[in-house]
Amino acid sequence: MTTDQRSAEKMREEILSQAREEAKEIVMRAQLDAKGLLDSAAAEAEQLRQERLEQAKKEAGLQSELVLATVPVETGRRRAARIEELLESVREEARRQLLAREGFEYREVVIALASDAIGRMTGDEFVVKLSGAGQAFGDDALAGEIAGRVGRQVSVTVIGNPDNAEEGVVVEDKEARQVWDNRFVKRLERLWPEMRRQIAMQAGFVRGTRPGGDGS
């Protein structure tokens, strides 16, 4: 491995390490919110049970049983709605931070996203289209840094994409037959289902798991 490759690998590990730390913070906040959510859900469930119990006392026999039987269903519905609301707030906060370019060095992220996309595509000539604030970094030096991190010999051309205001990069091969959209919001949308699942598991939202546990 050459010095440049070792340097690139070290930089990639630093970026991944920072991303993991940020993910831990998001999960930690989700866990704290989860405790409040579960406490609130328990209080609402008790209040609902008391209300339904009073209603049931006014009725007789099977009718009272039918009323009480709706409590778990309604409680589950409310809990599911609260969990969905919390997860959506996590997604919106992640989206806000990406668009505000908070917590990361923009140029390094552009290099990482572009080189990662190229590494997943075939061919040896690529065009990296920068949109949003990334257009300010569109120079030959950036193209060289991206190419140097791909892990194989490639030719990279960096151009601005003034018609698109979304932050991030779009990578195409020379013939534009392969297109990899790594703009920030698009990437978040692709990764969100798996991120959502992991956050829900680690926060204990999924039945049979514990906060910080593995679900076993």
Side-chain angles (χ1 to χ4, degrees):
M1 180 180 291
T2 66
T3 300
D4 288 343
Q5 289 174 326
R6 285 194 295 270
S7 177
E9 183 62 26
K10 182 179 179 181
M11 180 63 71
R12 181 175 295 138
E13 288 299 324
E14 290 176 353
I15 292 173
L16 291 174
S17 176
Q18 181 178 354
R20 283 191 290 268
E21 289 300 317
E22 293 175 356
K24 288 180 182 178
E25 292 180 5
I26 291 175
V27 170
M28 185 178 300
R29 290 197 300 269
Q31 290 173 347
L32 292 175
D33 290 342
K35 184 178 184 303
L37 169 67
L38 295 177
D39 290 344
S40 175
E44 289 185 4
E46 178 59 22
Q47 180 181 355
L48 179 63
R49 191 185 73 83
Q50 291 295 334
E51 293 173 354
R52 293 295 173 84
L53 184 59
E54 291 297 322
Q55 180 182 354
K57 288 179 179 178
K58 298 177 182 179
E59 301 176 8
L62 293 177
Q63 183 61 30
S64 64
E65 293 180 6
L66 291 174
V67 172
L68 288 172
T70 66
V71 173
V73 176
E74 181 67 11
T75 299
R77 185 191 67 78
R78 293 190 182 187
R79 181 177 185 275
R82 287 294 186 87
I83 290 174
E84 189 61 36
E85 180 181 346
L86 178 58
L87 290 172
E88 182 62 18
S89 72
V90 172
R91 187 182 74 86
E92 284 302 313
E93 176 61 17
R95 184 178 186 276
R96 185 196 67 78
Q97 291 186 17
L98 287 173
L99 294 179
R101 304 189 293 280
E102 292 183 5
F104 58 89
E105 206 287 308
Y106 194 97
R107 183 185 178 95
E108 289 300 325
V109 170
V110 165
I111 295 170
L113 291 177
S115 60
D116 177 70
I118 294 173
R120 299 170 185 272
M121 301 165 73
T122 60
D124 53 17
E125 294 186 50
F126 299 91
V127 176
V128 175
K129 297 181 178 180
L130 301 180
S131 55
Q135 295 179 71
F137 301 123
D139 53 36
D140 292 339
L142 179 64
E145 290 184 71
I146 293 172
R149 296 193 191 181
V150 174
R152 70 178 192 273
Q153 191 69 32
V154 295
S155 172
V156 175
T157 301
V158 176
I159 63 174
N161 190 11
D163 294 332
N164 197 317
E166 291 189 28
E167 301 289 350
V169 300
V170 176
V171 180
E172 299 178 353
D173 64 2
K174 183 179 180 181
E175 294 79 16
R177 289 181 297 188
Q178 301 176 84
V179 179
W180 197 286
D181 191 341
N182 254 353
R183 287 174 294 171
F184 293 168
V185 174
K186 293 295 185 182
R187 184 175 175 85
L188 175 63
E189 289 175 355
R190 289 199 305 272
L191 296 178
W192 177 245
E194 177 60 19
M195 292 172 62
R196 181 184 186 281
R197 185 186 69 82
Q198 292 188 18
I199 292 171
M201 289 181 62
Q202 294 185 47
F205 292 157
V206 180
R207 187 180 301 277
T209 65
R210 300 181 303 277
D214 59 5
S216 60

